[in-house]
């Protein structure tokens, strides 16, 4: 009987898949990209058969193209999904690049195979790199220690993103073998990497867990970071004492009883990828967005969502309402990086991240968020740093670090805007001037070499 049940379940699942494919063929998605109807923005209209998670898929694709969503109207009540987005490029101009138009059409139009938010998580194996996911307690110097471990184990970090929020740190790193330039496949070596990183992440904290996952799956980095921090329940702790009141989001949840919806309104300072962050969280919490209005044309962003839980019910209790508010506030705050923004651009090499973060640590700076990328032999890394003691970053400290690394290599992108120049005859300049031309690395005694 069990065998018959399993066959029946498999048959039912296959029938559902076939029905979905048939429905999609009969009702293919339609994408219209219009540069005429709006003076200030490109209007993108998406019509498609409705499916749970499709809103996240669409928003993710637009966000990955670095498009700014200035306005949006969303309706997915019933079997059909209709979206209208007003978007611009990063400079506030209409999107005229035909290559981007073609990519949007292929990703969202009839040729696309995107029918589920599983695309956001990624299930494809990669031989180009090894993905490492890290979760642990945040502390000054953590990124420096992690990157030192990887360098000592002859791993090259080709890309990474690091978020910190409410005393917790999450990272997704793509690493390759230093010698081969490809993914690390040796099980013993992977086990060692996992063990040593877990030790670094755990530190002396016994109350909060540390987690390291090593895989060869292709993962959407920012989507995964949201999932990791949500699963870690970072929203249950508050860092409001350290959060800039001007950037604190205002989130409300009310029930519209006549229509059996819950209405979420979000008001906060606008910033890139804000809609992606909120839609990620609603999807992770298994809420369905039936209607939404988004307005981010000014310095303030306004988002309004009409939602139900995936089981069809609106928000049922005050406890659930508070949890929704906490989770959305956390999703917004994770990407808000208080601190000084530094951008490093130089020739990529193994150990670069380890050396840079070591210098930050030695100068009492802590990294609150980081984006690491490499392309065509060039490393472009963005760091948000704060003084490890909680004070405002001293301009003299930043100037000293820039002298060490190279003023043309490390640039200040945030306040303080005016840094006093340091004499070109500074002894620090000559002492460390060759640091980034050298391929020697420092072993902090944190790990043992892998051979």
């Amino acid at each position: 009987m069990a065998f018959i049940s399993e066959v029946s379940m498999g048959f039912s699942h296959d029938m559902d898949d076939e029905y979905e494919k048939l429905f999609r063929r009969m009702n293919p998605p339609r994408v219209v990209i219009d540069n005429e109807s709006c003076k200030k923005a490109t209007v993108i209209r998406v019509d498609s058969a409705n499916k749970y998670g499709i809103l996240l898929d669409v928003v993710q694709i637009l966000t990955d193209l670095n498009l700014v969503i200035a306005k949006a109207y969303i309706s997915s009540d019933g079997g059909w999904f209709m979206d209208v987005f007003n978007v611009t490029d990063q400079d506030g101009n209409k999107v005229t690049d035909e290559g981007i138009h073609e990519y949007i059409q292929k990703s969202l139009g009839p040729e696309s195979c995107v029918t589920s938010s599983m695309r956001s998580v990624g299930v494809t194996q990669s031989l180009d790199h090894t993905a490492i996911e890290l979760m642990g307690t945040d502390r000054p110097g953590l990124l420096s220690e992690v990157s030192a471990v990887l360098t000592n184990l002859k791993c090259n970090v080709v890309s990474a993103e690091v978020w910190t929020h409410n005393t917790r740190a999450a990272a997704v790193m793509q690493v390759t073998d230093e010698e081969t330039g490809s993914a690390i496949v040796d099980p013993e070596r992977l086990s060692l990497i996992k063990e040593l990183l877990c030790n670094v992440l755990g530190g002396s904290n016994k109350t909060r867990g540390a987690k390291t996952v090593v895989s060869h799956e292709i993962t959407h980095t920012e989507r995964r970071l949201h999932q990791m921090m949500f699963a870690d329940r970072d929203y249950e702790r508050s860092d409001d004492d350290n959060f800039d009141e001007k950037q604190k989001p205002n989130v409300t949840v009310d029930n519209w009883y006549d229509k059996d919806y819950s209405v979420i309104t979000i008001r906060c300072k606008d910033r890139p990828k804000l809609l992606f962050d909120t839609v990620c969280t609603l999807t992770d919490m298994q809420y369905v967005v039936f209607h939404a209005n988004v307005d981010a044309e000014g310095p303030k962003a306004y988002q309004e969502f009409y939602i139900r839980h995936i089981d069809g019910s609106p928000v049922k209790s005050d406890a659930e309402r508070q949890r929704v508010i906490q989770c959305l506030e956390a999703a917004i705050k994770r990407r808000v990086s208080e601190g000084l923004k530094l951008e490093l651009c130089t020739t990529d090499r193994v150990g670069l991240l380890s050396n840079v973060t070591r210098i930050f640590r030695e100068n009492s700076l802590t990294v609150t968020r980081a984006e690491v990328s490499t392309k065509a032999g060039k490393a472009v890394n963005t760091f948000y740093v704060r003084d490890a003691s909680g004070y405002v970053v001293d301009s003299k400290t930043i100037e000293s670090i820039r002298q060490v690394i190279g003023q043309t290599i490390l640039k200040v992108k945030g306040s303080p805007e005016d840094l006093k120049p340091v004499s070109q005859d500074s002894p620090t300049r000559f002492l460390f001037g060759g640091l980034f031309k050298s391929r020697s690395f420092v072993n902090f005694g944190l790990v043992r070499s892998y051979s």
Side-chain angles (χ1 to χ4, degrees), residues 1-2 127 135 158 160 175 236 273 280 295 303 324 329 436:
M1 290 294 293
L127 297 177
M135 191 80 220
V158 294
V175 304
E236 292 184 341
K273 303 185 179 182
C280 269
D295 187 346
Q303 297 180 4
V324 171
E329 286 180 346
F436 284 86

Side-chain angles (χ1 to χ4, degrees), residues 127-163:
L127 297 177
D128 296 331
H129 61 255
T130 300
I132 300 176
E133 298 177 359
L134 307 171
M135 191 80 220
T137 301
D138 185 32
R139 67 176 187 274
L142 180 61
L143 181 57
S144 173
E145 294 177 24
V146 166
S147 54
V149 168
L150 293 172
T151 298
N152 193 273
L153 292 173
K154 301 189 183 304
C155 301
N156 183 36
V157 180
V158 294
S159 69
E161 188 140 354
V162 182
W163 290 0

